[in-house]
Amino acid sequence: MSEQKQTQRRVVVVGAGMAGVQTAVALREQGFTGPVTLIGAEPHQPYDRPPLSKAVLLGKAEDSAFDVDFEDLGIELRLGVDVTGLRAADHEVDTEAGPVAYDTLVIATGAHPLVLPGSDGVPGVHLLRTLDDAVRLGPVLERRHAVVVVGAGWIGAEFATAALGAGCAVTVVEAADLPLAGVLPVEVAAPMAEWYGANGAELLTRARVDAVEPGRVLLADGRELPAEAVVVGIGARPATAWLAGSGIALDPSGAVTADDRLRTSLPDVYAVGDCASFPSARYGERLLVHHWDNALQGPRTVAAAIVGDDPGPYDPVPYFWSEQFGHFVQYAGHHAGADELLWRGTPADETWSVLWLRSGAPVALLTVGRPRDLAQGRKLIETATPLDPARAADPSVPLKAAVR
């Protein structure tokens, strides 16, 4: 893209989380000189989310603001502004503060946590997605309240860990048979379920919430749980309701269906991060990845496309981590199409890993306290390098030494 054309084009990024901030920064890093506007719904300086369920929640950090000098980079921030619609024919987004014109638009609005039906407006019910949520939950931990966590997913486990560390009595309610049901196979999730009780939390599985009232949670089977606070972690949905009527293509989950360069169905509009799905040639299906690493990597593809460089297909090996109950859990890849599961060690060990293979090559890896396995396995997944199953299943053999 020529210098003159760049200075005339205005890029508007909607969403000031990791994906939006990194898109704006990547544009400057890749030489874009035109105006860049970053619109965020929250009034706070843009911040990182992972510390919210850890350091910020426990009062060990006041916030987790990005270390970015937006003024120095020439990035205009419009914070505390809700975007209400997109009029592609006019190249404008509508906001509560009036329309904003764009030449190129990047949608990076992330995801909204799902609300427990019937709990809206009930005192003492919390979500954990924003800085304000973490700030509101701080006093709950300080007062060592009896806490009920609804949902034994990644966020539920992380909050339960923090609450136990603060001295709270914690009960976790999960509708499925095991934590992380539908996310991990039964044989992998089952040993992780034992972490709850071993660390002092009560885990109730096959337990459905019938009602939430001030001070208690009522289960469908008639049980009543005392709850000075209720924290809901039952998943998230792409924050794309504002795109209704815009003509932009969404999938059934509500995610923007981007292509392999993260372009949407509308001209001059890209989508990145938790709000967008993309086709993965590596895995042969469309992926929607609600994790930090995707929000970090995708913006480089978007920025390259905007400045006129062909970034190549966006097809990462998904990655995330979770710290829960004294365990450092990491996951890389996507195991849905695997045809073989290998254990490296056993859940009775202090550290262990699980490796998924397809036609002898690794497609995914989960590690518990084995960061070297993760680092080596992630590279082998990226290159689809076939492994010797017997050597790969020996935890004393480095994964890179198990190459067939």
Side-chain angles (χ1 to χ4, degrees), residues 14-376:
V14 179
M18 170 63 82
V21 167
Q22 291 300 325
T23 297
V25 171
L27 282 167
R28 294 299 188 227
E29 289 177 345
Q30 297 188 34
F32 183 77
T33 57
V36 176
T37 299
L38 185 63
I39 301 176
E42 295 182 56
H44 311 289
Q45 194 74 3
Y47 61 87
D48 201 6
R49 293 191 191 280
L52 296 184
S53 59
K54 304 174 183 72
V56 175
L57 186 62
L58 293 170
K60 295 176 181 176
E62 289 187 7
D63 60 30
S64 53
F66 291 114
D67 185 18
V68 175
D69 190 332
F70 294 99
E71 185 176 355
D72 186 59
L73 289 172
I75 296 168
E76 178 193 7
L77 291 181
R78 296 193 185 183
L79 303 176
V81 176
D82 278 320
V83 175
T84 56
L86 165 60
R87 289 177 290 107
D90 298 326
H91 269 59
E92 286 184 342
V93 289
D94 288 320
T95 79
E96 58 187 6
V100 177
Y102 68 84
D103 293 301
T104 301
L105 176 67
V106 181
I107 299 169
T109 40
H112 290 311
L114 296 176
V115 176
L116 186 67
S119 69
D120 204 18
V122 178
V125 177
H126 301 264
L127 299 168
L128 181 50
R129 182 77 182 183
T130 68
L131 180 59
D132 288 340
D133 292 338
V135 169
R136 280 190 289 267
L137 277 164
V140 170
L141 301 191
E142 288 172 14
R143 295 169 192 153
R144 301 185 176 183
H145 281 177
V147 178
V148 170
V149 180
V150 182
W154 302 112
I155 286 290
E158 290 182 4
F159 178 79
T161 300
L164 289 169
C168 297
V170 179
T171 302
V172 181
V173 177
E174 171 56 53
D177 292 347
L178 287 168
L180 298 165
V183 177
L184 294 175
V186 169
E187 61 265 45
V188 179
M192 298 170 78
E194 297 176 9
W195 296 349
Y196 287 76
N199 286 274
E202 183 177 10
L203 174 63
L204 305 179
T205 56
R206 295 183 289 279
R208 294 191 175 274
V209 175
D210 189 51
V212 178
E213 299 174 355
R216 64 179 186 165
V217 173
L218 304 177
L219 301 183
D221 62 8
R223 282 180 289 180
E224 181 179 317
L225 307 176
E228 294 170 276
V230 178
V231 177
V232 179
I234 56 174
R237 182 177 176 83
T240 55
W242 65 281
L243 294 169
S246 68
I248 205 160
L250 306 177
D251 68 19
S253 76
V256 178
T257 51
D259 69 8
D260 63 3
R261 267 68 173 178
L262 300 180
R263 297 171 296 210
T264 73
S265 60
L266 295 179
D268 304 317
V269 182
Y270 296 79
V272 65
D274 290 7
C275 67
S277 65
F278 57 89
S280 170
R282 184 191 308 278
Y283 292 108
E285 62 181 284
R286 181 169 283 276
L287 299 183
L288 175 60
V289 180
H290 280 195
H291 292 297
W292 183 90
D293 192 64
N294 177 52
L296 178 67
Q297 292 198 61
R300 298 171 194 148
T301 292
V302 172
I306 291 173
V307 301
D309 295 333
D310 182 7
Y314 181 65
D315 196 4
V317 172
Y319 166 76
F320 68 91
W321 78 96
S322 177
E323 295 176 272
Q324 51 184 270
F325 307 114
H327 301 278
F328 183 48
V329 183
Q330 292 176 283
Y331 179 96
H334 179 66
H335 65 265
D339 53 34
E340 187 175 2
L341 186 152
L342 297 179
W343 287 86
R344 288 171 59 77
T346 75
D349 300 328
E350 190 171 326
T351 67
W352 48 274
S353 298
V354 175
L355 190 65
W356 286 269
L357 306 180
R358 185 177 62 210
S359 301
V363 292
L365 175 73
L366 180 138
T367 68
V368 178
R370 292 180 67 96
R372 183 175 297 177
D373 274 7
L374 191 288
Q376 294 181 11

